[in-house]
Amino acid sequence: MKTYKYEAFTAVIEEQIRNRILQSGDKLPSIREIKAKYSLSTSSVQNGFEYLIIKGLVESSPRSGYFVADKREENIPEFRTKLPPVVRDEVFMKNMLLTSKRISESSSFNTAVPGDLLIPQKLILRTMQEVIREKGASLLRYYPSNGLEALRKQIAKQMGIYGCRFNPDELIITDGALQALTIALTSVTRAGDVVAVDSPCVFSILEVIANLGLKVIEVPVHYRSGFDTDYFRKVCGENNVRALIVTPNFHNPTGIMMSDDTKKELLKIAEDHQICIIENDMYSDLYFEEKRPSSIKSFDEKGRVIMYSSFSKTLAPGIRLGWLCAGQFYARAERAKFALGRSVSPLYQELILKLLQENSYERHLRSFRKKLNQQAIQLLEVLRKSFPEGSYFHRPQGGYSIWAQMPENMDMKRFHQYCEKHNILFTPGNTFSLTDKYDHHFRVVFAERITPESLQVLDKTGTKACEFM
C-alpha cells in the first residue's frame, strides 16, 4: 500500500485524538512548527491537514490555524418508515401459476414449453460458445433496433421455403413473442378499441390485451374447420373490430389446425371489414405430418396480416428472441419496438442466425417433432382408456397441447381438488377465457419427457375422475 510523507505527523495527531489527549477545540501546531519538527515541505503538511479534515478529525479556521473538530453525538431519530404491503392480483397470480408451475416431471402437464430433457442443451450451449469466440466484444454493443440484417434475411428465406414470402425489411426482431404481439397491437389499435381472439385463448394473450386497455370479443374455435367463421362474420357486422388475434396452426390450448379453406375465408372477412389479422405462427414448425402447414399470411395479397413467432417453443424458453412481420404497419411497429427496448440480445440473434445457417435448427426440429408425436400418442391412449365415458380428447396434428372435454355431469370441482391435493398439474379450461364456458375442459401438455410414471399418474387420475360422475 502506498504511504505518504504527511503520515509522519497525521498518525500522531489521530492517535492523540483517539486517546483523548487532544480534545475538541484544541489548537494544533502550525504548519511552520510541523515543517520544522518532521522535516516536511509546506505542501506535504497542507496535504496532511486536508487528509485530517476529510476524515472529520480537524477543522480549519481562517487566520487562526487548525483545531480538533467538535465531535458532537449526532441525534439520530428513532424513525422507521412503514411501507404499505405489496398488493398482487390474486387472479393473475393464480392463472400464471396454472400455466407455468412445475413440481415434478411425472405429474406436470401444464407448461407449454420444452422440458429440460427435450431442450437441445448441447447444441445450444456449443453454438453459443462458438458465437462468443467468433464475435467477442461486439456482442456487448447495441445491435440495430429492428434486428440483425443477416438474421432477418435468413428468417425471410426460411419462411419463403414454406410458401410465405415477405420482404426481410418488413421484419422486426423482438424480445420474444409477447413483445411482438404487444408491438402488433400497439401498431393497429388504441385504448378502448375492440379486438377479437380465438377462444379458448392463452392467458398471456388475454393479459396483453387487458394491459393495453382493449376490449375483447371471443370467437369459438371449431374442432373440424378450426374457426367459427360464421360467428366471426356476425361479430364484425355488429362491432367495430380493429384486429383479430388468431393461432391457425396447432392452436394453444386445443391443438386444432385450421383448414386452408377457413384461412382463406377468414382473410376475406378481414378484408371486407378492414380488420387486421395478427397471426401467431409459433407452433407451425412443430407439425407431425409430412409438411409444414400453410399460414394465413401466405394467402394475403392486400397486406391485412401481421405475423409473429419466436424460438422459445421450439428451442428453449430462456431464448427470448422472436420476430414480427409488420408489413404495411412497419413504420408504427418500428417506433413501438424502439419504445420497448433499444436492442434484442446480440448473443441470441447471432445464436439463432448460426443455427439457421448451419441447418442445425431443422435437424433438431426433425427429432423434436418425432418425440412430441410419440408422446401425444402415448398420452391419448391412456386418456381415452382411463377417463369417464363421454370424455373427448382432441388429437393434435402438431404443437404441444391436448384439449380435454369432460362430460357435463362430472363434478369438476372435486376433480381439480383431487389434482391439486396430489400435485397433478393440468391447466383448467377457464384459464383460457374471460367466460365460464370451459369449466368442463382442461389442457394436457406433452412438452415434458413422458415417462412410465407419467402414464401411471394419468391412468390413476382418469380412474379417479370416473368416481366424480
Side-chain angles (χ1 to χ4, degrees):
M1 182 181 293
K2 184 177 180 180
T3 59
Y4 298 92
K5 292 180 179 179
Y6 60 69
E7 291 180 12
F9 82 92
T10 57
V12 173
I13 293 176
E14 284 188 71
E15 184 178 359
Q16 289 177 341
I17 292 174
R18 189 164 50 249
N19 294 328
R20 299 186 179 276
I21 297 171
L22 289 173
Q23 302 287 326
S24 296
D26 286 353
K27 192 173 188 308
L28 297 174
S30 67
I31 293 176
R32 183 181 298 110
E33 290 172 322
I34 291 177
K35 277 177 59 180
K37 183 175 181 178
Y38 294 96
S39 301
L40 296 173
S41 66
T42 301
S43 63
S44 289
V45 177
Q46 288 174 334
N47 289 338
F49 276 123
E50 286 296 320
Y51 163 77
L52 293 170
I53 290 171
I54 291 171
K55 290 194 72 173
L57 299 174
V58 170
E59 295 174 347
S60 171
S61 177
R63 299 188 185 88
S64 297
Y66 295 94
F67 299 84
V68 177
D70 186 6
K71 297 282 288 185
R72 295 176 184 170
E73 288 294 323
E74 191 172 353
N75 185 22
I76 301 175
E78 287 293 329
F79 176 75
R80 294 183 181 180
T81 302
K82 292 184 178 180
L83 297 174
V86 176
V87 179
R88 305 193 74 172
D89 187 320
E90 292 185 9
V91 174
F92 168 77
M93 290 301 300
K94 179 183 177 182
N95 287 338
M96 187 170 66
L97 288 174
L98 287 171
T99 57
S100 61
K101 185 179 180 181
R102 186 180 185 276
I103 295 176
S104 71
E105 183 184 75
S106 62
S107 62
S108 298
F109 305 97
N110 62 319
T111 307
V113 293
D116 291 347
L117 295 175
L118 297 183
I119 292 172
Q121 297 181 26
K122 291 182 180 179
L123 171 64
I124 292 172
L125 295 176
R126 184 183 69 244
T127 309
M128 274 187 172
Q129 290 170 347
E130 292 172 1
V131 166
I132 291 170
R133 283 197 302 269
E134 293 169 7
K135 300 298 177 180
S138 65
L139 296 172
L140 305 178
R141 306 188 189 107
Y142 277 136
Y143 268 33
S145 180
N146 61 342
L148 189 64
E149 182 180 8
L151 177 58
R152 290 186 285 109
K153 287 182 177 179
Q154 190 65 41
I155 292 172
K157 177 183 176 182
Q158 200 87 5
M159 293 301 294
I161 295 172
Y162 305 136
C164 184
R165 295 178 176 81
F166 46 70
N167 189 332
D169 290 339
E170 298 175 3
L171 278 178
I172 296 174
I173 303 301
T174 66
D175 188 12
L178 284 184
Q179 188 184 80
L181 173 61
T182 302
I183 293 167
L185 282 170
T186 303
S187 303
V188 298
T189 65
R190 293 289 181 267
D193 283 348
V194 176
V195 298
V197 298
D198 45 18
S199 180
C201 179
V202 290
F203 157 72
S204 55
I205 290 178
L206 294 176
E207 279 298 306
V208 170
I209 292 170
N211 284 329
L212 292 176
L214 301 169
K215 299 173 183 177
V216 64
I217 295 177
E218 299 183 36
V219 181
V221 298
H222 192 280
Y223 283 130
R224 293 190 181 278
S225 67
F227 197 77
D228 191 336
T229 51
D230 291 336
Y231 186 85
F232 181 56
R233 188 179 286 105
K234 181 174 181 293
V235 162
C236 292
E238 297 173 352
N239 301 272
N240 183 23
V241 179
R242 297 292 298 166
L244 166 68
I245 305 168
V246 65
T247 308
N249 296 327
F250 321 129
H251 172 260
N252 185 7
T254 65
I256 293 171
M257 184 173 75
M258 192 183 294
S259 69
D260 281 3
D261 287 342
T262 302
K263 291 172 184 174
K264 293 174 183 177
E265 185 178 0
L266 191 56
L267 184 57
K268 179 66 167 59
I269 297 170
E271 290 172 350
D272 290 344
H273 293 272
Q274 295 187 325
I275 293 169
C276 173
I277 295 178
I278 301 174
E279 180 176 11
N280 178 358
D281 196 54
M282 289 175 61
Y283 302 96
S284 297
D285 281 342
L286 301 178
Y287 56 92
F288 299 159
E289 303 299 327
E290 293 182 1
K291 64 177 183 177
R292 193 182 198 272
S294 62
S295 61
I296 301 175
K297 180 71 175 174
S298 63
F299 303 121
D300 180 28
E301 296 179 353
K302 298 183 180 179
R304 302 303 311 173
V305 180
I306 295 177
M307 175 185 274
Y308 73 93
S309 187
S310 87
F311 294 90
S312 64
K313 303 296 186 184
T314 52
L315 281 172
I319 296 179
R320 307 308 305 158
L321 189 137
W323 55 266
L324 173 73
C325 182
Q328 64 172 289
F329 307 100
Y330 182 86
R332 293 181 66 179
E334 185 179 33
R335 293 185 65 186
K337 164 63 183 66
F338 188 86
L340 291 173
R342 174 66 175 80
S343 178
V344 175
S345 164
L347 177 58
Y348 289 159
Q349 292 194 59
E350 295 286 0
L351 168 68
I352 297 299
L353 174 61
K354 197 173 187 66
L355 291 174
L356 292 175
Q357 287 177 333
E358 296 180 354
N359 210 34
S360 303
Y361 178 66
E362 186 56 42
R363 287 197 300 272
H364 155 68
L365 284 178
R366 284 197 290 269
S367 62
F368 190 34
R369 287 193 293 260
K370 183 178 180 181
K371 185 64 177 176
L372 288 175
N373 192 16
Q374 290 171 345
Q375 297 199 154
I377 293 170
Q378 285 180 297
L379 289 189
L380 279 169
E381 183 179 353
V382 174
L383 289 166
R384 289 171 174 174
K385 174 178 70 72
S386 304
F387 276 74
E389 185 177 352
S391 302
Y392 174 74
F393 299 94
H394 187 78
R395 178 170 185 165
Q397 295 172 269
Y400 289 148
S401 304
I402 295 173
W403 187 237
Q405 181 176 342
M406 298 292 100
E408 284 297 319
N409 58 336
M410 180 169 160
D411 189 336
M412 294 302 293
K413 183 177 181 180
R414 291 179 64 198
F415 172 72
H416 288 307
Q417 286 174 343
Y418 170 83
C419 291
E420 184 176 356
K421 180 180 178 181
H422 293 85
N423 290 324
I424 302 162
L425 301 179
F426 303 118
T427 310
N430 282 345
T431 306
F432 303 99
S433 175
L434 302 176
T435 73
D436 60 357
K437 297 298 183 182
Y438 304 108
D439 59 359
H440 275 66
H441 297 71
F442 58 90
R443 183 185 68 177
V444 185
V445 175
F446 46 92
E448 289 278 1
R449 184 175 68 110
I450 302 300
T451 64
E453 291 75 21
S454 308
L455 301 177
Q456 289 174 9
V457 168
L458 274 186
D459 182 52
K460 185 178 179 180
T461 305
T463 302
K464 194 68 179 178
C466 294
E467 300 177 14
F468 303 142
M469 295 294 291

